[in-house]
Amino acid sequence: MIGGLFIYNHKGEVLISRVYRDDIGRNAVDAFRVNVIHARQQVRSPVTNIARTSFFHVKRSNIWLAAVTKQNVNAAMVFEFLYKMCDVMTAYFSKISEENIKNNFVLIYELLDEILDFGYPQNSESGALKTFITQQGIKSQHHSKDEQSQITSQVTGQIGWRREGIKYRRNELFLDVLESVNLLMSPQGQVLSAHVSGRVVMKSYLSGMPECKFGMNDKIVIDKQQGKGATSDDSAKSGKQSIAIDDCTFHQCVRLSKFDSERSISFIPPDGDYELMRYRTTKDIILPFRVIPLVREVGRTKLEVKVVIKSNFKASLLAQKIEVRIPTPLNTSGVQVICMKGKAKYKASDNAIVWKIKRMAGMKESQISAEIELLPTNEKKKWTRPPISMNFEVPFAPSGLKVRYLKVFESKLNYSDHDVIKWVRYIGRSGIYETRC
Amino acid sequence: SVNTQYFIFELKAELNSDKKEKKKEAVKKVIASMTVGKDVSALFPDVVNCMQTDNLELKKLVYLYLMNYAKSQPDMAIMAVNTFVKDCEDPNPLIRALAVRTMGCIRVDKITEYLCEPLRKCLKDEDPYVRKTAAVCVAKLHDINAQLVEDQGFLDTLKDLISDSNPMVVANAVAALSEIAESHPNSNLLDLNPQSINKLLTALNECTEWGQIFILDCLANYTPRDDRESQSICERVTPRLSHANSAVVLSAVKVLMKFMEMLPKDLDYYGTLLKKLAPPLVTLLSAEPELQYVALRNINLIVQKRPEILKHEMKVFFVKYNDPIYVKLEKLDIMIRLASQANIAQVLAELKEYATEVDVDFVRKAVRAIGRCAIKVEQSAERCVSTLLDLIQTKVNYVVQEAIVVIKDIFRKYPNKYESVIATLCENLDSLDEPEARAAMIWIVGEYAERIDNADELLESFLEGFHDESTQVQLQLLTAIVKLFLKKPTETQELVQQVLSLATQDSDNPDLRDRGYIYWRLLSTDPVAAKEVVLAEKPLISEETDLIEPTLLEELICHIGTLASVYHKPPSAFVEGSRGVQHKRIPIRSGSGESSESQDTGGAPGATEAPAAVIPSQGDLLGDLLNLDLTPPTSTAGAPPGPPMPMGGMDLLGGGLDSLVGGGGSLLTPLSLMGSGFGAPAAVMPSSLNAPVGGGLGDLFDLGGGVGMPMGTFVPPKTLWLPAMKGKGLEIMGTFARRAGVIQMEMTLTNKAMSVMTDFAIQFNRNSFGLAPAGPLQVPTPLSPNQTIDVSLPLNNGGPVMKMEPLNNLQVAVKNNIDVFYFSCQYPISMLFVEDGKMDRQVFLATWKDIPNENEAQFQINDCHLNSDAASNKLQGSNVFTIAKRTVEGQDMLYQSMKLTNGICVLTELRVQTGSPTYTVSDRHTHALWVMIPARAGV
């Protein structure tokens, strides 16, 4: 199990150190600093073994978090724990920075004592933790006996992510379908790989212990329902709209065995913000933009670049925050750009032409052309032409995912599914969206 | 320094302040100093004084301080005990838990005594939060004082908690027990049985993500009774594959990968399960980069074990421009593993792209990967070679060098196919500055010297700086020039002399010198032989050179998700002490109806293909090792080993040995013994015949009173074959027996080491009679320290044959999880006497007469108090058959025949002087060479 946990600043000074196991000595703190933080070469692995001691590290801005062990621990668990640790800290004091850590060191020690016992991760849901560990000092001493046992049963209970007795005047929930669409396209326009990784994020403001059921246009579910005797018309209609999900994972509130057997998504949600599910699709992806590059080398000191982007979605929808990055060689001396729409600038520090367009409707196209002057070099190595990358945001889900329903049941309180105000929003963003040139 | 002292005294004053707030701030300052590594232990009494407070925050801070310094000040730490004990009784469960949690972290022996009572109460506390904390505390206490935990009966209480109503209590109890069990490999602490497994599976659905990991990791250590149980566990574990926590997913994958091994492959469910495994593995690749890295290292193992799972998922392993380098390198590895004829075009296009990236390591690996594709997928070889040539044209120095290294391998895989590229390679000779690339280029020039016009000039150019080259290059250059000389002897005499003298006279590297001398002597004594040796046809290199050895792979599969799977090393390689020394193994399939006993031995007769495949290939490795040591002196390491000699005496004689005997002979055709009697063979074999005869017969005739010895083949008592000193704790006593027509190697294995032993396998070196194990070595494992077991290994005669000295010598390699051990032993020749060795009387007579007298050996056996009939019976038990008996002048004459497994017959005449303990034996043999055998057998 985890033997110790250290938090360092970018200089390698230790801000927090908590040792859980006897086999981890003080020298481990220095070993990591010397061999990883101060290492001359870029770190080549997130797991480092120094003198039979293993270090797992993650970095958040310029803060290093390192877990240390001398045993054969579950490595995946250690990293999941470190991420969770970051989440918890963010939930308490937003940004993980040196200043915030220093200002909250008592709180962090308290958290570390609570969420890691003898190196075993314990309940680390910030919702539950906040009921008895606060920045204003410990609450629990003022709790009544009932409240105390409610805390402990929640922290250890089956529904560790939600406390009882939550009340809202207005029962409301917000569903965000957030997708990032990834593409690697050849210069000839052939799709080398494309996938969507999506998340369903929920903000729930619901009273009591509501039972929720979430439904989407999952092909497996729809096909199954059609099997139960829908007309062929229906099936043709909805068959088009359903999507094939390659794989999905759920928040721990979702009953996985039920999903496995019936493919239904049922759960009692945590209060407030959380991520309900993640999914991945690779079939029938709507690629919102197509990039058509044309690079011509004119002699040894000049390059001509022409890039066309085409928006490929309903004309009534608007894409936003469009940015195209066209890499330029290291020996670029000057660039002239002409673009039809938006603004384009050569950024020498990034070695790229950055073309920004605020908004663009569907079924349109736009073009940029640039002349790049090069300094003559005698370097043998050819310029490797990194791919042209794109950023954008579109108001639909490129995977085609649609939320069909989210039903809420709370038998003990007197509100019904109809009384809950529900909001659904779809946002598609570019992930790594690249076209080779 | 003065400043530090000032600081300490200032704090001391603040700690003793009356004001609560000031006290708290002071303790905070103390903790802050402690964090940055300042020694504030001098404040111990002052801080402990703050402990008795009803302010929980202050209490926690003091506890934190205590955990840090108690060990250095054990006497002072006792001061805190009372408060702890009191806190364990507090009405607030959070305080009770805090006290017991902290107390467990104070590693002071004296405190542990006081901990027992509060801990006992807390383990039975009404509040689950306290119980789950107490469960972990048992593990803490066990780490400090294991004996105390056992004496106090805490282990039993902990076991009871596995049935607790609260899932988190169950999970922590499982975690604590698993850890404790690791340091007691044989304690059976977890006592996993279908009932407890069922409880765990129920808790699995209800506990936190971390608890699920503890439970899954524990489940992975269980061995299901049969395939039905295995399937039902798999069914209940598969839903975990959809968990958002990657560690839950990987631990579930581990359980499935292990238990799946027990399922029949024709089961529908087996296929379903295989299909279910791919998507979650792919999903892991969209996790954060550090987790991706862990996942990729594991996928690397999974694709080696079960390539079918991800064979259609090549694309997800394509490298992204922004992937961290450690992710890129791992993806590349997996791409090569998944490369096949179906996807090779895509893979190559990608690899070519990667070879133009910035990171030098990554580019090198990409170039190497192209070469490996060529070797792996024959159809793509041509395309790979042309891609490599393109890359050479970029003139990027490290790309060129890497390309040349892999092209050398391609030449070795497809000889005489791509020589046209040599000219291009030669153009880049000057730019090679890395030893591996230089050595590869030199090898190519030497190997194809006859096709390179200026090969001599090229090699000569390297020779100028011979002593500055690395050993690798020097050795290669030496060999290459010798090859060149053998191919073009007229023009290169001077060159070869130059290199030989450089290597032998001016070098202080013994390897180089030795190789130089060997070449020199070879060339000077027998150029023809030199040619045969140096220019011998080389064995083709194999497809996958970097596959993990199967036993290790199997062990690593059992460690999926853990550090071992990240390092690709067994835990024993990086974990100190007793933990992790246990080697885990995949359970193997056994039918539902079979008893659990057959699982224990690990090898029911109907074992599945997988484990069966593992052991022989391990054996092959051993065989290779042995071959290396023992190949006859005429073949060099480079030359292909000769075809294994088929079994049987005929072939043995006709093949390897006729040069010794001077001619072959057919069965039952007596061969004249060269020279006189024993002259020649005696030179080949141990000359003292009397001793073995006496001993041998003594053995066979060791009849004492003849009581108690069952009729049957004589079985010598076990002798020590492998002393524990040489076997790293493994002691082997053994003997041979012939039972029901089968030769058995009977061994007593004793583990005299401190750790358990597993994964036994055995391999024989080639031997005179082609003895070989008829099946894998079946050792019920693990073999615990001080445990002794008897095993019997059936042998057959199907192995490769090589004459040994003495003839009945057998070289054995035994492997276990610790090492490979070699020893040799001698089997009694009587083991080889077959049951149908009884010769027809007429044939016997005719044969006896046909065998010339010179072929007869005579010797006496003393001190044998048996009459002829008893002796005859005794010998019959060992397949020595009495054909006839006559009595002449008070002497009983027994005429006997025996046949060896390889068909050779031995005829004897046994004269027993009635009333005298002396026997005289005359042997006649169908083959002179074998004169030794009956002597050994004691007839």
Side-chain angles (χ1 to χ4, degrees):
Chain A
M1 283 305 119
I2 297 172
L5 215 134
F6 308 139
I7 303 179
Y8 300 86
N9 65 9
H10 68 286
K11 283 186 243 162
E13 293 164 349
V14 62
L15 304 176
I16 299 277
S17 79
R18 176 76 161 93
V19 172
Y20 296 94
R21 297 273 175 147
D22 226 21
D23 53 6
I24 303 299
R26 186 86 202 163
N27 50 352
V29 179
D30 303 323
F32 182 76
R33 175 186 25 249
V34 173
N35 290 289
V36 180
I37 302 182
H38 290 171
R40 278 204 201 139
Q41 277 196 327
Q42 187 199 351
V43 190
R44 296 253 135 181
S45 155
V47 185
T48 322
N49 193 301
I50 307 162
R52 291 198 149 220
T53 308
S54 298
F55 295 81
F56 301 75
H57 74 266
V58 300
K59 243 186 126 183
R60 290 292 179 268
S61 62
N62 53 13
I63 298 294
W64 298 74
L65 276 92
V68 196
T69 185
K70 284 208 153 186
Q71 300 180 20
N72 181 31
V73 296
N74 188 318
M77 183 187 78
V78 175
F79 280 123
E80 284 284 5
F81 176 77
L82 288 174
Y83 302 143
K84 206 46 165 259
M85 178 73 207
C86 293
D87 291 350
V88 171
M89 288 199 285
T90 316
Y92 272 92
F93 46 80
S94 68
K95 194 172 179 310
I96 298 176
S97 65
E98 183 170 352
E99 203 192 343
N100 279 344
I101 288 172
K102 279 183 171 164
N103 289 338
N104 289 287
F105 83 93
V106 173
L107 169 78
I108 296 174
Y109 273 123
E110 215 179 297
L111 287 170
L112 283 177
D113 200 39
E114 185 60 45
I115 61 179
L116 210 51
D117 190 6
F118 201 40
Y120 291 111
Q122 305 291 304
N123 194 335
S124 47
E125 289 295 312
S126 52
L129 290 169
K130 277 183 171 172
T131 58
F132 67 110
I133 296 177
T134 69
Q135 269 160 304
Q136 284 77 48
I138 289 80
K139 256 190 189 169
S140 61
Q141 53 201 322
H142 313 300
H143 289 308
S144 70
K145 205 168 179 222
D146 277 355
E147 283 172 321
Q148 284 164 4
S149 71
Q150 205 199 309
I151 290 170
T152 57
S153 80
Q154 193 209 330
V155 173
T156 59
Q158 285 186 32
I159 307 162
W161 53 88
R162 188 180 181 92
R163 65 193 165 90
E164 300 222 23
I166 297 170
K167 282 197 180 82
Y168 286 101
R169 234 155 48 84
R170 228 156 84 112
N171 287 300
E172 200 169 13
L173 64 84
F174 299 85
L175 266 181
D176 277 346
V177 176
L178 304 172
E179 294 196 338
S180 92
V181 51
N182 298 277
L183 169 75
L184 185 61
M185 191 173 256
S186 76
Q188 293 76 33
Q190 181 195 358
V191 176
L192 297 174
S193 74
H195 75 273
V196 166
S197 54
R199 303 186 301 145
V200 178
V201 176
M202 190 167 163
K203 264 182 223 149
S204 70
Y205 306 107
L206 301 169
S207 308
M209 296 299 258
E211 231 349 287
C212 298
K213 219 176 159 187
F214 175 71
M216 54 188 177
N217 56 340
D218 178 0
K219 194 168 187 297
I220 298 177
V221 176
I222 303 231
D223 290 354
K224 219 160 63 178
Q225 284 168 356
Q226 282 160 3
K228 283 179 189 163
T231 65
S232 58
D233 257 9
D234 271 358
S235 70
K237 199 176 143 199
S238 50
K240 225 185 228 170
Q241 283 165 358
S242 68
I243 63 162
I245 292 173
D246 287 26
D247 187 38
C248 47
T249 60
F250 295 99
H251 185 269
Q252 57 170 325
C253 66
V254 176
R255 293 180 189 92
L256 295 179
S257 30
K258 216 159 175 196
F259 177 75
D260 192 59
S261 54
E262 303 161 23
R263 218 167 159 93
S264 76
I265 302 165
S266 65
F267 53 98
I268 296 172
D271 191 40
D273 282 22
Y274 76 102
E275 187 180 287
L276 174 66
M277 72 175 281
R278 281 182 186 221
Y279 57 90
R280 190 163 46 79
T281 72
T282 45
K283 289 192 189 73
D284 303 323
I285 292 168
I286 307 157
L287 295 170
F289 287 94
R290 162 103 203 265
V291 177
I292 303 152
L294 195 73
V295 181
R296 212 159 66 90
E297 288 177 41
V298 187
R300 296 201 60 191
T301 58
K302 201 168 148 189
L303 274 181
E304 278 181 10
V305 179
K306 196 173 104 177
V307 175
V308 179
I309 60 167
K310 285 184 179 170
S311 59
N312 175 36
F313 45 88
K314 265 195 244 164
S316 59
L317 297 176
L318 273 183
Q320 296 185 69
K321 301 177 192 167
I322 300 145
E323 186 186 286
V324 182
R325 271 178 180 264
I326 304 159
T328 56
L330 297 173
N331 55 336
T332 302
S333 60
V335 175
Q336 275 105 45
V337 283
I338 311 159
C339 56
M340 288 155 51
K341 210 172 171 206
K343 280 179 189 162
K345 224 193 254 173
Y346 166 61
K347 281 199 174 170
S349 57
D350 296 4
N351 289 312
I353 299 165
V354 181
W355 177 24
K356 288 184 176 173
I357 304 169
K358 273 193 185 144
R359 265 179 289 274
M360 187 166 169
M363 310 313 280
K364 290 262 177 357
E365 82 173 58
S366 190
Q367 184 183 321
I368 185 172
S369 36
E371 272 187 29
I372 301 169
E373 308 270 347
L374 301 175
L375 290 171
T377 68
N378 38 13
E379 208 172 323
K380 275 182 189 167
K381 199 181 160 185
K382 237 174 57 178
W383 179 50
T384 60
R385 287 200 194 177
I388 296 175
S389 61
M390 230 195 130
N391 286 315
F392 53 80
E393 199 178 294
V394 289
F396 60 90
S399 68
L401 182 131
K402 288 262 172 1
V403 176
R404 289 171 59 220
Y405 56 82
L406 200 152
K407 293 177 194 154
V408 182
F409 310 95
E410 167 51 284
S411 47
K412 286 182 192 147
L413 299 174
N414 56 346
Y415 72 91
S416 74
D417 186 40
H418 298 291
D419 304 328
V420 181
I421 304 157
K422 300 168 191 168
W423 304 88
V424 183
R425 178 167 64 162
Y426 298 91
I427 300 173
R429 292 198 184 99
S430 51
I432 294 158
Y433 203 85
E434 293 176 339
T435 306
R436 287 184 179 151
C437 59
Chain B
S1 71
V2 179
N3 274 345
T4 328
Q5 279 202 350
Y6 178 92
F7 176 74
I8 296 279
F9 275 95
E10 192 187 19
L11 276 176
K12 220 179 175 70
E14 286 173 27
L15 284 169
N16 292 309
S17 157
D18 296 334
K19 286 178 192 146
K20 255 189 191 170
E21 266 314 297
K22 200 152 194 189
K23 253 188 186 176
K24 202 161 94 181
E25 285 312 306
V27 179
K28 276 191 190 178
K29 275 189 209 166
V30 172
I31 303 289
S33 316
M34 189 179 87
T35 297
V36 297
K38 266 188 208 159
D39 182 14
V40 285
S41 59
L43 294 166
F44 202 91
D46 308 277
V47 177
V48 171
N49 268 336
C50 302
M51 187 171 159
Q52 240 164 346
T53 171
D54 48 5
N55 182 319
L56 193 49
E57 189 180 13
L58 184 55
K59 201 184 271 279
K60 282 193 178 179
L61 290 173
V62 175
Y63 279 0
L64 194 60
Y65 179 89
L66 267 174
M67 287 188 263
N68 242 336
Y69 287 114
K71 217 179 174 189
S72 58
Q73 313 228 2
D75 295 329
M76 303 277 253
I78 294 292
M79 288 163 55
V81 164
N82 265 337
T83 322
F84 277 127
V85 174
K86 222 177 87 199
D87 281 356
C88 286
E89 307 269 343
D90 197 281
N92 184 341
L94 293 172
I95 294 187
R96 294 202 294 279
L98 177 64
V100 77
R101 182 165 68 213
T102 312
M103 236 176 146
C105 294
I106 296 178
R107 305 178 54 91
V108 175
D109 249 344
K110 282 179 193 157
I111 286 207
T112 54
E113 292 168 26
Y114 296 96
L115 176 60
C116 291
E117 276 325 298
L119 177 58
R120 195 186 315 283
K121 275 185 201 158
C122 288
L123 281 167
K124 304 219 155 120
D125 200 288
E126 52 168 27
D127 193 293
Y129 183 76
V130 179
R131 291 201 301 277
K132 73 111 181 161
T133 310
V136 175
C137 191
V138 176
K140 290 179 190 169
L141 190 57
H142 186 271
D143 196 35
I144 307 169
N145 191 340
Q147 195 57 47
L148 186 68
V149 170
E150 274 173 53
D151 295 346
Q152 296 278 333
F154 285 141
L155 294 181
D156 293 324
T157 323
L158 202 53
K159 279 192 209 168
D160 294 341
L161 289 184
I162 290 194
S163 314
D164 199 281
S165 57
N166 182 293
M168 193 154 177
V169 177
V170 178
N172 276 6
V174 167
L177 278 173
S178 303
E179 176 163 351
I180 295 171
E182 246 179 72
S183 45
H184 296 274
N186 301 312
S187 60
N188 195 27
L189 208 50
L190 276 160
D191 189 30
L192 297 175
N193 53 54
Q195 289 76 36
S196 61
I197 289 293
N198 197 36
K199 278 179 201 158
L200 292 183
L201 286 167
T202 311
L204 187 61
N205 287 324
E206 295 166 350
C207 63
T208 64
E209 46 195 329
W210 314 117
Q212 298 186 17
I213 299 168
F214 306 151
I215 292 178
L216 288 168
D217 285 352
C218 173
L219 268 181
N221 292 325
Y222 177 63
T223 307
R225 307 249 147 141
D226 51 45
D227 50 354
R228 260 176 285 153
E229 191 188 5
S230 182
Q231 179 175 346
S232 91
I233 295 175
C234 287
E235 279 165 356
R236 292 176 71 180
V237 165
T238 28
R240 298 297 121 198
L241 294 174
S242 304
H243 202 287
N245 187 314
S246 308
V248 175
V249 176
L250 270 177
S251 291
V253 169
K254 164 165 59 193
V255 174
L256 297 174
M257 284 288 291
K258 256 187 99 168
F259 288 12
M260 185 169 191
E261 206 70 43
M262 290 185 71
L263 299 177
K265 291 206 166 41
D266 48 357
L267 196 70
D268 284 349
Y269 179 71
Y270 180 84
T272 317
L273 196 53
L274 268 183
K275 271 188 213 126
K276 278 195 176 173
L277 276 170
L281 288 174
V282 173
T283 297
L284 291 175
L285 298 184
S286 44
E288 291 85 344
E290 292 87 3
L291 268 176
Q292 277 188 51
Y293 174 72
V294 173
L296 286 163
R297 295 291 287 172
N298 279 287
I299 289 171
N300 198 325
L301 300 173
I302 293 168
V303 296
Q304 287 184 59
K305 180 80 190 159
R306 300 196 169 274
E308 66 272 31
I309 294 178
L310 288 166
K311 66 178 176 204
H312 298 304
E313 303 288 350
M314 170 62 92
K315 272 191 181 177
V316 299
F317 296 102
F318 284 176
V319 170
K320 292 182 193 142
Y321 198 69
N322 292 327
D323 280 338
I325 182 69
Y326 52 80
V327 168
K328 285 184 177 176
L329 294 172
E330 292 308 315
K331 281 187 173 173
L332 205 48
D333 257 344
I334 295 167
M335 280 173 70
I336 300 164
R337 297 218 189 284
L338 292 178
S340 66
Q341 207 187 333
N343 56 25
I344 194 73
Q346 270 182 319
V347 173
L348 264 183
E350 281 292 309
L351 292 177
K352 200 174 170 184
E353 201 73 38
Y354 304 161
T356 63
E357 282 223 29
V358 209
D359 190 284
V360 177
D361 283 352
F362 180 60
V363 170
R364 283 175 177 276
K365 201 163 181 172
V367 175
R368 231 162 241 249
I370 297 174
R372 278 172 62 190
C373 283
I375 290 164
K376 191 171 175 196
V377 186
E378 188 161 356
Q379 296 80 357
S380 76
E382 196 156 340
R383 214 158 358 147
C384 294
V385 170
S386 79
T387 307
L388 288 169
L389 284 180
D390 287 350
L391 290 172
I392 288 175
Q393 297 304 339
T394 63
K395 305 276 178 201
V396 178
N397 188 278
Y398 54 85
V399 174
V400 174
Q401 312 213 40
E402 208 64 51
I404 286 180
V405 173
V406 295
I407 288 180
K408 180 204 77 179
D409 288 342
I410 296 176
F411 281 172
R412 289 217 43 196
K413 170 81 182 179
Y414 310 108
N416 306 318
K417 214 166 165 192
Y418 299 109
E419 283 67 34
S420 53
V421 309
I422 291 175
T424 321
L425 302 186
C426 288
E427 286 166 20
N428 292 284
L429 214 56
D430 298 335
S431 64
L432 308 180
D433 53 12
E434 290 161 17
E436 206 184 349
R438 289 172 79 83
M441 192 65 220
I442 293 169
W443 182 88
I444 293 171
V445 174
E447 189 66 15
Y448 296 101
E450 68 275 26
R451 307 182 194 196
I452 304 172
D453 293 339
N454 60 344
D456 49 344
E457 282 169 38
L458 293 177
L459 291 177
E460 198 171 4
S461 71
F462 281 102
L463 212 51
E464 283 159 17
F466 188 78
H467 289 300
D468 301 326
E469 300 282 2
S470 72
T471 311
Q472 190 185 8
V473 179
Q474 290 174 331
L475 288 170
Q476 206 54 264
L477 194 52
L478 173 61
T479 305
I481 292 179
V482 172
K483 280 184 195 164
L484 172 71
F485 170 70
L486 289 168
K487 288 174 180 179
K488 302 177 180 176
T490 44
E491 312 125 64
T492 55
Q493 210 152 9
E494 207 174 304
L495 193 61
V496 80
Q497 254 162 14
Q498 209 181 338
V499 78
L500 286 175
S501 84
L502 277 171
T504 53
Q505 284 156 27
D506 303 336
S507 167
D508 48 11
N509 181 325
D511 286 347
L512 185 63
R513 264 196 333 246
D514 285 355
R515 197 186 282 193
Y517 278 126
I518 289 168
Y519 282 140
W520 202 325
R521 203 154 297 171
L522 253 177
L523 293 172
S524 55
T525 45
D526 189 351
V528 180
K531 204 161 184 167
E532 272 168 31
V533 172
V534 180
L535 303 181
E537 205 168 298
K538 275 156 282 297
L540 296 183
I541 58 171
S542 73
E543 286 182 16
E544 302 240 11
T545 45
D546 62 339
L547 283 179
I548 294 175
E549 188 269 316
T551 4
L552 176 59
L553 179 62
E554 190 167 323
E555 190 181 350
L556 292 179
I557 290 287
C558 299
H559 286 292
I560 282 178
T562 69
L563 264 181
S565 72
V566 172
Y567 294 147
H568 289 185
K569 283 178 189 161
S572 52
F574 59 90
V575 174
E576 280 164 11
S578 60
R579 280 197 182 110
V581 177
Q582 271 176 284
H583 287 255
K584 298 193 177 177
R585 36 189 295 230
I586 297 180
I588 56 153
R589 195 176 111 57
S590 63
S592 326
E594 277 173 60
S595 66
S596 59
E597 203 182 326
S598 58
Q599 282 164 32
D600 288 343
T601 52
T608 52
E609 302 150 34
V614 167
I615 292 170
S617 53
Q618 169 69 4
D620 288 348
L621 188 77
L622 296 186
D624 289 349
L625 280 177
L626 288 169
N627 283 342
L628 258 190
D629 290 335
L630 301 164
T631 33
T634 42
S635 78
T636 60
M645 282 177 215
M647 228 296 294
M650 296 292 302
D651 292 296
L652 178 60
L653 297 167
L657 299 178
D658 33 49
S659 58
L660 286 174
V661 192
S666 61
L667 193 58
L668 289 176
T669 307
L671 229 167
S672 64
L673 226 158
M674 50 215 135
S676 58
F678 280 93
V684 185
M685 297 159 197
S687 50
S688 71
L689 273 175
N690 283 330
V693 169
L697 245 202
D699 289 348
L700 258 189
F701 282 65
D702 181 18
L703 309 165
V707 260
M709 174 136 172
M711 279 311 254
T713 315
F714 168 69
V715 181
K718 282 180 179 162
T719 52
L720 183 63
W721 284 349
L722 179 71
M725 284 285 285
K726 278 175 76 186
K728 299 195 179 167
L730 175 66
E731 187 193 73
I732 302 180
M733 307 264 298
T735 187
F736 292 85
R738 186 175 184 94
R739 300 191 195 280
V742 178
I743 306 169
Q744 301 277 356
M745 184 170 183
E746 299 185 334
M747 287 181 286
T748 304
L749 308 182
T750 308
N751 179 355
K752 296 203 166 170
M754 303 297 287
S755 57
V756 292
M757 295 177 175
T758 56
D759 305 317
F760 285 92
I762 194 165
Q763 180 82 19
F764 293 173
N765 190 27
R766 40 182 74 183
N767 54 70
S768 312
F769 292 92
L771 287 179
L777 183 62
Q778 312 247 325
V779 181
T781 53
L783 184 58
S784 317
N786 286 322
Q787 196 187 337
T788 294
I789 45 159
D790 288 319
V791 292
S792 189
L793 177 73
L795 309 182
N796 62 27
N797 293 76
V801 173
M802 181 173 82
K803 193 191 139 243
M804 296 301 291
E805 193 163 303
L807 262 180
N808 56 339
N809 195 21
L810 180 65
Q811 291 172 321
V812 181
V814 168
K815 185 212 110 179
N816 64 11
N817 57 325
I818 294 165
D819 209 334
V820 181
F821 310 104
Y822 304 96
F823 59 86
S824 56
C825 52
Q826 295 180 8
Y827 44 91
I829 289 295
S830 56
M831 293 302 112
L832 302 166
F833 295 167
V834 295
E835 277 68 20
D836 63 349
K838 185 162 188 172
M839 205 176 269
D840 179 64
R841 267 181 95 135
Q842 294 307 316
V843 179
F844 183 91
L845 255 172
T847 315
W848 184 266
K849 280 182 190 152
D850 278 339
I851 300 176
N853 287 342
E854 306 95 84
N855 241 12
E856 178 172 318
Q858 259 189 32
F859 45 89
Q860 291 199 336
I861 300 161
N862 297 319
D863 291 331
C864 194
H865 302 272
L866 275 180
N867 67 33
S868 60
D869 286 337
S872 171
N873 276 339
K874 209 75 243 173
L875 289 168
Q876 175 117 23
S878 290
N879 295 334
V880 178
F881 299 95
T882 305
I883 309 295
K885 175 184 167 186
R886 57 182 177 143
T887 310
V888 181
E889 299 163 358
Q891 273 187 11
D892 283 333
M893 322 256 283
L894 298 177
Y895 291 95
Q896 298 171 312
S897 75
M898 57 218 85
K899 191 164 126 193
L900 292 166
T901 46
N902 56 7
I904 287 178
C905 292
V906 181
L907 315 182
T908 62
E909 176 192 62
L910 187 67
R911 256 177 276 170
V912 182
Q913 187 77 52
T914 325
S916 154
T918 306
Y919 289 10
T920 305
V921 185
S922 306
D923 284 20
R924 293 195 174 200
H925 316 286
T926 54
H927 200 289
L929 241 195
W930 300 95
V931 71
M932 185 56 207
I933 302 164
R936 278 273 145 168
V939 179

